[in-house]
């Protein structure tokens, strides 16, 4: 194991000082070349088109910055190679000038670094470790985070096209699959709300299996303190919290839902807890966790099933059925259905009607709570549409189980106001191997070189700025131009 101790010797006469100055001169020269390219555009006709000029300047900036970054990292690598710290720790140079290229949001950054061998026989690229570049990493984590955030809104191919096909759609998919599990950090707020509304439904999509496509459902839930109706044109949920997950049983889903609801809201303070749903069998599991909750029929599904009944009824019977629902007249409601059913001759149609009748019998209480209670509007289907179907199931196609889980969690994560960052990104799907390797390098003391890097960065920055400002070209201003004549007429501003 390496034991690294570092102290900066102010009187240390660094070897190869001329080489250091040369490296720093190269860095400064990239700035001079960058400025020269920008001023050169003024001598062309491209300035007559603001769009083309902006595009050209953007290209120059990206190229100049990536070259500067490469030169800077090479200078740091040289300082590490020449440092007494490295030599005292018995890090032997195995190979110099090993090229590395990594994609960033500005373009490809290329630099050369040194390959070292430790006293234990292990091999490392010390510079890569210090600047956060992992083995086999071809895209920096910030760029990957941006790509993953984009793919939650558009297809992998569109994200690739949006980035000028710098990366393939398969690479974007790999970064999504390699991502850490996304779980929004629900703070223990214990919001006091008289009513808590939980909207539960499922999204439907297809997954790929060895036998072909298979339809699956994904549980989706939204917990809120109600609906804000102050703006009549646009109602919105109060303190919403979203949950969606493909893997796991209903019990696991509602166990998680109860846990986050208990952190978000004060369940003991709430007078009423309402669960809005389509009365699916799996949703009734929620009663095991929210014991005092009242089930409410989702308005969309209520109207959907009522219209199926209405297809067989006369206009006056439809009116009577609605009146019976409104006044909670169960016997009258089903007596009307019995009369209608007696008129149906076709066996197939008879069975369809009977299915709808059974639906209303089984879910009478949730239906009456919806119709007779002063209940907020139901939004289970719109939530499924915006949170799930918009990206996952609206267009034809099928997902892998892992891809469906990752995208579902990503959509819910972003709906909760969160955003994927570089800390959520992994180079590959073998997360355990990566984390163990980083942890091992940290324990072996390599991170202590960061102190050396910080000091050398300050020195390099000072030398580069001194060289840069000492070698700036002299630009002659045309004093005969209209602008300069106007400025001379205005005079020099004076402090009052």
């Amino acid at each position: 194991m390496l034991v690294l101790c570092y102290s900066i010797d102010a009187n240390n006469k660094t070897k190869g000082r001329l080489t250091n100055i040369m490296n720093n001169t190269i860095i400064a020269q990239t700035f001079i070349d960058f400025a020269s390219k920008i001023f050169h555009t003024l001598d062309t006709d491209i300035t007559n088109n603001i769009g083309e000029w902006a595009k050209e300047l953007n290209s120059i900036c990206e190229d100049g910055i990536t070259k500067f970054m490469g030169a800077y990292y090479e200078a740091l690598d040289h300082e590490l190679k020449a440092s007494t710290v490295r030599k005292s720790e018995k890090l032997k140079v195995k190979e110099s000038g090993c090229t590395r290229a990594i994609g960033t949001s500005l373009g490809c950054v290329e630099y050369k670094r040194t390959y070292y061998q430790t006293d234990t026989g292990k091999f490392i690229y010390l510079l890569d470790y210090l600047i956060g570049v992992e083995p086999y990493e071809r895209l920096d984590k910030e760029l990957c985070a941006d790509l993953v955030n984009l793919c939650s809104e558009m297809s992998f191919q569109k994200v690739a096209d949006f980035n000028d096909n710098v990366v393939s759609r398969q690479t974007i998919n790999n970064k999504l699959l390699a991502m850490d599990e996304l779980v929004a950090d629900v703070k223990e707020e214990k919001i006091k709300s008289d009513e808590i509304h939980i909207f539960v439904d499922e999204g439907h999509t297809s997954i790929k299996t060895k036998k072909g496509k298979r339809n699956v459902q994904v549980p989706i839930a939204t917990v809120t303190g109600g609906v804000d109706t102050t703006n009549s044109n646009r109602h919105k949920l109060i303190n919403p919290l979203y949950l969606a997950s493909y893997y796991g049983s209903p019990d696991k889903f509602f166990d998680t839902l109860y846990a986050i609801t208990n952190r978000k809201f004060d369940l003991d303070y709430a007078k009423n807890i309402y669960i809005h749903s389509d009365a699916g069998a799996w949703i009734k599991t929620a009663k095991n966790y929210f014991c005092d909750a009242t089930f409410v029929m989702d308005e969309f599904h209520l109207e959907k099933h009522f219209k199926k009944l209405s297809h067989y009824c006369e206009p006056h019977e439809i009116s009577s059925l609605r009146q019976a629902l409104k006044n909670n007249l169960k016997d009258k409601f089903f007596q009307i259905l019995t009369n209608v059913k007696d008129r149906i001759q076709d066996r197939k149609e008879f069975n369809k009607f009977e299915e709808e009748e059974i639906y209303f019998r089984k879910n009478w209480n949730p239906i009456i709570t919806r119709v007779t209670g002063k209940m907020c509007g139901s939004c289970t289907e719109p939530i499924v549409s915006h949170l799930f179907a918009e990206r996952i199931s609206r267009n034809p196609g099928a997902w892998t189980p892992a891809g469906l889980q990752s995208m579902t969690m990503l959509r819910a994560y972003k709906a909760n106001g969160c955003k994927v960052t570089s800390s959520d990104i992994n180079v590959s799907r073998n997360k355990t191997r990566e984390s163990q390797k980083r942890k091992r390098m940290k324990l072996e003391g390599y991170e202590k070189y960061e102190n050396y890097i910080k000091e050398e960065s300050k020195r390099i920055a000072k030398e580069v700025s001194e060289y840069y400002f000492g070698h700036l070209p002299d630009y002659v201003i045309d004093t005969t131009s209209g602008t300069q004549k106007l400025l001379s007429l205005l005079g020099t501003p004076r402090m009052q």
Side-chain angles (χ1 to χ4, degrees):
M1 180 180 290
L2 297 175
V3 181
L4 304 180
C5 299
Y6 174 70
S7 60
I8 299 174
D9 185 0
N11 298 319
N12 179 37
K13 295 183 180 179
T14 308
K15 280 185 177 183
R17 194 65 182 165
L18 180 60
T19 307
N20 294 342
I21 294 173
M22 214 162 140
N23 284 333
N24 299 338
T25 300
I26 294 173
I27 298 174
Q29 189 62 43
T30 61
F31 276 109
I32 296 173
D33 294 341
F34 166 71
S36 298
K37 288 180 180 179
I38 289 179
F39 281 105
H40 177 70
T41 62
L42 298 175
D43 298 330
T44 65
D45 295 333
I46 198 173
T47 56
N48 297 333
N49 188 314
I50 188 170
E52 290 184 9
W53 191 25
K55 190 175 182 179
E56 179 67 19
L57 290 177
N58 183 66
S59 176
I60 292 171
C61 289
E62 289 180 352
D63 181 64
I65 292 173
T66 52
K67 286 182 179 178
F68 161 73
M69 292 173 68
Y72 172 75
Y73 286 142
E74 288 183 6
L76 282 182
D77 182 72
H78 176 80
E79 296 300 333
L80 285 170
K81 186 177 179 182
S83 70
T84 56
V85 183
R86 190 270 304 175
K87 295 175 182 177
S88 65
E89 296 299 337
K90 299 180 181 180
L91 281 177
K92 297 180 182 178
V93 176
K94 179 67 176 177
E95 186 177 353
S96 298
C98 299
T99 303
R100 183 65 189 268
I102 184 165
T104 70
S105 57
L106 291 172
C108 183
V109 176
E110 292 188 13
Y111 60 93
K112 294 180 180 179
R113 78 276 201 232
T114 306
Y115 197 37
Y116 296 101
Q117 182 179 8
T118 67
D119 56 350
T120 60
K122 297 176 181 177
F123 298 92
I124 60 166
Y125 289 105
L126 185 56
L127 179 66
D128 287 353
Y129 169 76
L130 293 174
I131 64 176
V133 176
E134 297 184 30
Y136 309 107
E137 185 175 1
R138 294 294 175 263
L139 301 172
D140 83 275
K141 295 182 179 63
E142 291 293 340
L143 175 60
C144 291
D146 291 340
L147 294 175
V148 170
N149 281 313
L150 279 174
C151 80
S152 70
E153 306 296 335
M154 58 181 76
S155 68
F156 298 130
Q157 186 59 57
K158 287 183 179 179
V159 175
D161 294 340
F162 184 78
N163 288 273
D164 298 325
N165 291 303
V166 175
V167 294
S168 67
R169 62 182 182 182
Q170 184 60 51
T171 298
I172 300 167
N173 185 35
N174 291 340
K175 294 305 176 184
L176 174 68
L177 296 175
M179 191 171 51
D180 288 334
E181 188 175 86
L182 295 174
V183 179
D185 184 19
V186 181
K187 297 179 181 179
E188 193 167 354
E189 299 179 68
K190 293 290 183 181
I191 299 172
K192 296 184 182 300
S193 177
D194 291 335
E195 293 182 354
I196 296 176
H197 295 266
I198 304 174
F199 302 95
V200 185
D201 204 348
E202 68 279 342
H204 297 270
T205 188
S206 300
I207 62 170
K208 300 174 184 176
T209 65
K210 292 181 179 179
K211 296 181 180 180
K213 292 183 180 181
R214 180 167 64 89
N215 293 329
V216 295
Q217 64 181 34
V218 178
I220 300 169
T222 304
V223 183
T224 175
V227 179
D228 182 3
T229 59
T230 52
N231 184 348
S232 59
N233 296 323
R234 186 74 172 180
H235 297 176
K236 63 179 181 179
L237 299 179
I238 301 172
N239 299 314
L241 186 63
Y242 302 92
L243 175 67
S245 178
Y246 169 60
Y247 290 141
S249 62
D251 281 304
K252 184 177 180 181
F253 179 79
F254 284 112
D255 184 41
T256 305
L257 181 62
Y258 179 82
I260 64 175
T261 303
N262 193 36
R263 289 180 66 84
K264 184 79 172 180
F265 295 94
D266 189 341
L267 296 180
D268 295 328
Y269 180 86
K271 297 177 182 178
N272 296 297
I273 299 176
Y274 298 103
I275 299 178
H276 303 251
S277 71
D278 61 357
W282 73 273
I283 298 175
K284 294 178 181 178
T285 309
K287 197 69 176 179
N288 299 334
Y289 298 89
F290 301 93
C291 302
D292 300 326
T294 301
F295 282 90
V296 183
M297 178 59 67
D298 169 52
E299 193 169 4
F300 171 83
H301 291 93
L302 173 58
E303 285 299 317
K304 175 183 175 181
H305 287 280
F306 189 85
K307 284 181 179 179
K308 289 182 178 180
L309 284 178
S310 303
H311 176 70
Y312 303 94
C313 301
E314 299 294 335
H316 70 277
E317 291 174 326
I318 296 173
S319 178
S320 298
L321 286 172
R322 288 197 179 276
Q323 194 67 28
L325 281 177
K326 186 177 180 181
N327 297 314
N328 193 12
L329 301 175
K330 185 175 182 180
D331 293 337
K332 181 180 178 181
F333 183 87
F334 288 105
Q335 181 59 51
I336 296 171
L337 293 187
T338 301
N339 296 335
V340 174
K341 186 165 58 173
D342 291 340
R343 299 198 306 262
I344 302 175
Q345 301 297 322
D346 185 78
R347 173 54 60 180
K348 187 176 180 181
E349 295 299 323
F350 181 89
N351 292 337
K352 287 182 180 180
F353 184 88
E354 199 168 44
E355 286 180 6
E356 297 305 322
E357 182 184 9
I358 293 172
Y359 182 86
F360 275 83
R361 287 187 184 276
K362 284 185 176 180
N363 302 295
W364 182 260
N365 290 334
I367 290 172
I368 293 304
T369 305
R370 161 61 57 193
V371 176
T372 62
K374 293 182 179 179
M375 200 60 54
C376 69
S378 181
C379 57
T380 53
E381 285 301 317
I383 289 172
V384 171
S385 176
H386 293 298
L387 182 65
F388 181 83
E390 186 178 57
R391 174 64 181 91
I392 298 175
S393 65
R394 190 162 294 169
N395 296 320
W399 298 81
T400 62
L404 177 59
Q405 171 67 357
S406 297
M407 182 57 72
T408 299
M409 296 191 71
L410 175 60
R411 294 282 295 182
Y413 188 70
K414 294 196 69 178
N416 285 320
C418 303
K419 188 178 181 180
V420 176
T421 63
S422 58
S423 60
D424 301 312
I425 299 298
N426 293 289
V427 175
S428 70
R429 297 176 67 176
N430 194 336
K431 308 176 184 69
T432 305
R433 182 186 64 188
E434 292 177 15
S435 60
Q436 287 178 348
K437 188 168 184 178
R438 298 289 293 179
K439 186 176 182 181
R440 175 178 58 78
M441 293 185 75
K442 186 175 182 180
L443 291 173
E444 289 179 350
Y446 293 109
E447 66 174 1
K448 292 186 179 180
Y449 276 103
E450 292 174 2
N451 296 328
Y452 181 79
I453 286 290
K454 289 177 183 178
E455 295 298 327
E456 287 303 308
S457 294
K458 293 177 183 177
R459 184 187 60 75
I460 290 173
K462 183 179 179 181
E463 291 185 1
V464 168
S465 60
E466 288 176 353
Y467 178 89
Y468 176 69
F469 289 110
H471 290 75
L472 278 176
D474 295 326
Y475 294 101
V476 179
I477 299 175
D478 184 8
T479 56
T480 61
S481 67
T483 303
Q484 292 300 320
K485 288 182 178 181
L486 178 60
L487 290 174
S488 63
L489 290 173
L490 293 174
T492 305
R494 298 180 181 179
M495 298 297 291
Q496 299 295 327

